Amino acid sequence: MCHPAWGRARITAQRLSDLARLRRVRDRIDREYAQPLNVEALALETDMPAGLLSRQFRLAYGTSPYAYLTARRIERAAALLRHGDLGVAETCRAVGCPSPGIFRTRFAELVGVLPHVYRDRSTGPGAAMTPWVPKQAARRPAVQPEPARI
């Protein structure tokens, strides 16, 4: 019979190992955000099924790997647009967004304005450098609450 502390030590070691793998995934997203990445490719690297990787990543970082990748791309796009060297389409390609439509939609959800408006406000005459401030995407609750009855 094993000592109970050994089981707890094994569980703790497994959690630390999982956190190290998740950190490697997050670091890869941070480094290679402009490359075509998907959860399946990230999961192969960590020897975890894609669903498990997504659940573990969400538990550790509060967001899915795809949402983290998207936020990283939008963060970099905002920095590129502030400098004004690239147009919206070039910025979209530079950060690895799959399509301009998705880029515009996600940028507006996370930043609060469309990319061209953000660029114009950041680079126009007399414009102050507007930092990128993440905005929570509006989500509807799964079940609409019933109105209060009096």
Side-chain angles (χ1 to χ4, degrees):
M1 178 78 68
C2 292
H3 192 277
W6 295 346
R8 287 190 300 268
R10 195 176 83 238
I11 290 170
T12 300
Q14 182 62 43
R15 283 186 186 144
L16 291 175
S17 173
D18 289 346
L19 285 174
R21 288 193 280 180
L22 293 173
R23 193 175 322 110
R24 283 194 302 272
V25 168
R26 188 192 65 197
D27 291 346
R28 180 173 177 203
I29 291 171
D30 287 340
R31 271 190 327 272
E32 301 175 16
Y33 64 88
Q35 304 302 317
L37 294 173
N38 59 36
V39 176
E40 289 77 20
L42 297 169
L44 275 174
E45 180 182 302
T46 60
D47 290 331
M48 296 172 86
L52 179 62
L53 172 64
S54 290
R55 284 189 302 277
Q56 297 272 340
F57 196 94
R58 184 180 298 276
L59 285 171
Y61 299 112
T63 186
S64 70
Y66 182 74
Y68 184 82
L69 171 62
T70 301
R72 180 69 176 104
R73 286 176 172 168
I74 298 302
E75 176 185 357
R76 181 65 182 137
L80 290 172
L81 290 170
R82 272 195 311 272
H83 288 93
D85 297 338
L86 299 175
V88 174
E90 293 88 10
T91 301
C92 173
R93 283 190 296 275
V95 298
C97 282
S99 79
I102 292 171
F103 174 70
R104 279 191 303 273
T105 301
R106 294 300 293 157
F107 193 96
E109 286 175 357
L110 294 174
V111 178
V113 295
L114 290 171
H116 71 279
V117 173
Y118 184 86
R119 185 195 64 220
D120 293 344
R121 286 182 185 170
S122 299
T123 60
M129 293 300 278
T130 309
W132 179 70
V133 178
K135 177 182 169 189
Q136 292 293 331
R139 295 185 184 203
R140 286 186 256 169
V143 178
Q144 295 293 331
E146 291 185 28
R149 296 185 183 179
I150 301 178

